[in-house]
Amino acid sequence: MTEVIGVKFNKVGKIYYFDPKGNKLEVGRGVVVETARGLEFGYVATPNRQVSEDEIVAPLKPIVRAATNADYERLEKNKEKEKEAFEIAVREIREHKLDMKLINTEYTFDGSKIIFYFTADGRVDFRELVKSLAAIFRTRIELRQMGVRDEAKTLGAIGGCGRTLCCSSFLNDFHPVSIRMAKDQGLSLNPTKISGICGRLMCCLQYEQAAYEDLLKKVPNKGSLVEYDGERGVVTEVFVLKGLIKAKFGSQEELVFKILDAKDVKILKKGKVEEPPAETPEELKE
């Protein structure tokens, strides 16, 4: 077991482990840590605790110091410089006529590098832009292309539910989401109803998926051949949350539909699980 302390660099983001070096710091306290990018300013997200070696990404870098007043002042100055750098970069992008959208600008804590985050539909040749920015700022320049999900997380917005986007309020990481989840939960496959602000499948589809998968094991699939009270019928509809099914009995000339408890029927032959027509809303639109 190794003692670590969890640090976040953004309000919403991953928690990274660092060697506390004997420091005992409360949650929310600013710290200066050593990272692959050099010295960075972060906030304690989890207090000192013991974790197994499997949870650590080696080598475990140390906390340099608890943030001082001078560190907080430098942080504020960097934020002001980031606003100025953003405006300058937007102007340079326009002058170079590049098909890209600047999302965010970030100074490393020691000011040795400026990172510009942008989105674009494809690859962008920004070599001349980097030269121009380097000549203006006289420091190292890095441009990073981000996806639409990261754009939504960075900018923030109000989702269709009327709440702040999950990714910009509490989600530390993006989890895989598939069209299968929407189908399992009986949702409409209309792209406008299952897509988020970013245009991708909504992250919240994943929240209840485990519960639906467990419930689906207890009910027959649509199209299954079942027996109830000595009669054979075919499942036409499944009410997963209630544990009920709707089945048709009798001949084509005299059909009888019954809503039954899934526990009261005997499954004679399982119906085929229909595959979703596409994996993404974009394909559904096509």
Side-chain angles (χ1 to χ4, degrees), residues 19-284:
D19 182 354
K21 288 293 184 181
N23 292 295
K24 300 289 183 181
L25 302 171
E26 66 276 10
V27 173
R29 178 65 188 276
V31 291
V32 177
V33 297
E34 182 184 345
T35 69
R37 300 195 315 184
L39 294 181
E40 290 290 341
F41 188 100
Y43 294 92
V44 176
T46 59
N48 300 59
R49 66 190 186 98
Q50 298 288 331
V51 299
S52 64
E53 298 293 336
D54 297 336
E55 298 180 60
I56 298 173
V57 178
L60 189 64
K61 293 187 177 294
I63 283 181
V64 177
R65 63 179 178 272
T68 62
N69 290 335
D71 292 327
Y72 281 104
E73 290 175 5
R74 172 180 284 191
L75 182 66
E76 291 303 316
K77 289 180 181 178
N78 284 347
K79 289 180 179 179
E80 291 299 321
K81 292 164 65 177
E82 286 169 359
K83 294 178 182 178
E84 297 175 6
F86 186 92
E87 295 175 359
I88 293 172
V90 169
R91 184 191 68 204
E92 290 297 315
I93 290 171
R94 190 181 302 117
E95 290 182 0
H96 284 79
K97 298 179 180 180
L98 295 175
D99 187 16
M100 56 192 291
K101 177 184 176 184
L102 190 64
I103 302 300
N104 193 27
T105 304
E106 179 183 345
Y107 264 86
T108 55
F109 184 64
D110 57 7
S112 61
K113 183 196 296 184
I114 312 175
I115 304 171
F116 296 93
Y117 297 91
F118 71 95
T119 58
D121 292 334
R123 298 190 65 177
V124 180
D125 184 0
F126 47 70
R127 287 175 292 184
E128 293 302 319
L129 174 63
V130 171
K131 291 179 182 178
S132 298
L133 293 175
I136 294 172
F137 295 107
R138 303 285 182 180
T139 188
R140 293 170 59 198
I141 301 295
E142 182 177 336
L143 270 75
R144 291 187 185 177
Q145 186 169 354
M146 58 166 50
V148 289
R149 279 189 163 190
D150 290 303
E151 178 185 1
K153 181 173 184 173
T154 302
L155 298 179
I158 302 297
C161 59
R163 297 174 63 90
T164 305
L165 297 182
C166 299
C167 59
S168 63
S169 55
F170 65 86
L171 278 185
N172 292 331
D173 201 1
F174 293 113
H175 299 282
V177 184
S178 71
I179 201 75
R180 164 61 62 193
M181 296 178 179
K183 187 170 180 64
D184 287 346
Q185 296 170 35
L187 301 176
S188 167
L189 298 186
N190 185 334
T192 60
K193 294 185 178 181
I194 58 176
S195 301
I197 296 294
C198 60
R200 297 292 188 265
L201 291 172
M202 293 187 295
C203 294
C204 55
L205 291 176
Q206 189 263 345
Y207 297 167
E208 299 177 354
Q209 183 60 19
Y212 273 92
E213 289 177 353
D214 184 58
L215 291 172
L216 284 168
K217 295 175 183 177
K218 303 174 183 178
V219 296
N221 303 325
K222 184 177 178 180
S224 296
L225 179 64
V226 296
E227 183 178 355
Y228 174 75
D229 200 20
E231 290 185 276
R232 291 189 173 189
V234 177
V235 178
T236 59
E237 199 169 348
V238 179
F239 307 97
V240 181
L241 296 179
K242 295 182 178 180
L244 302 176
I245 63 166
K246 184 178 182 181
K248 59 182 179 180
F249 297 86
S251 62
Q252 191 65 34
E253 293 78 17
E254 193 175 341
L255 284 177
V256 177
F257 289 87
K258 297 180 180 180
I259 295 179
L260 307 167
D261 193 316
K263 296 181 292 185
D264 297 335
V265 300
K266 180 181 179 182
I267 302 175
L268 300 178
K269 184 180 179 181
K270 287 189 176 182
K272 182 180 179 181
V273 178
E274 298 178 11
E275 290 297 324
E279 286 299 317
T280 64
E282 290 76 15
E283 293 177 3
L284 282 174

